[in-house]
Amino acid sequence: MDGNVFETAGEKAYRIIQGKILSGEFKPGFRISLRKMAEQTGTSVIPVLEAVKRLQGEMLIQSKPQWGYYVTVPSFEKIWQTYQIREAL
């Protein structure tokens, strides 16, 4: 990252977690621990939670009530629906 560009803690956490998912380091089914991700990204839990919510919107992470957050592989239908919604907006 360019040292001249400001990056919030949430953006940093998002960039790191997204990179690990897209590179395959975090495989489908991998449980995202907010505390561990805070340690790995050098941020606190709140920015990691912001990043996780953003990644949920991109369908890279899903929430399982009372179980936590997991890496997912979105179906073609979910991807198509998301882009249709974005295009309509």
Side-chain angles (χ1 to χ4, degrees), residues 4-88:
N4 296 330
V5 178
F6 177 75
E7 181 178 47
T8 67
E11 290 167 343
K12 178 182 177 184
Y14 167 80
R15 178 179 47 81
I16 292 170
I17 297 168
Q18 181 194 47
K20 290 179 181 288
I21 292 170
L22 296 179
S23 73
E25 186 176 339
F26 291 171
K27 301 194 180 316
F30 179 83
R31 184 174 182 274
I32 302 290
S33 164
L34 299 179
R35 287 191 185 123
K36 286 182 184 177
M37 289 302 104
E39 289 175 15
Q40 288 187 17
T41 61
T43 66
S44 67
V45 173
I46 298 301
V48 170
L49 188 55
E50 290 174 19
V52 165
K53 296 294 183 186
R54 187 170 166 190
L55 290 162
Q56 276 185 284
E58 295 175 3
M59 293 183 285
L60 292 174
I61 292 178
Q62 66 181 357
S63 172
K64 294 182 180 179
Q66 299 179 355
W67 289 94
Y69 299 98
Y70 292 84
V71 175
T72 186
V73 175
S75 67
F76 175 79
E77 292 78 21
K78 285 183 180 181
I79 294 170
W80 182 252
Q81 182 182 28
T82 298
Y83 284 108
Q84 284 181 324
I85 291 169
R86 287 183 182 173
E87 192 174 292

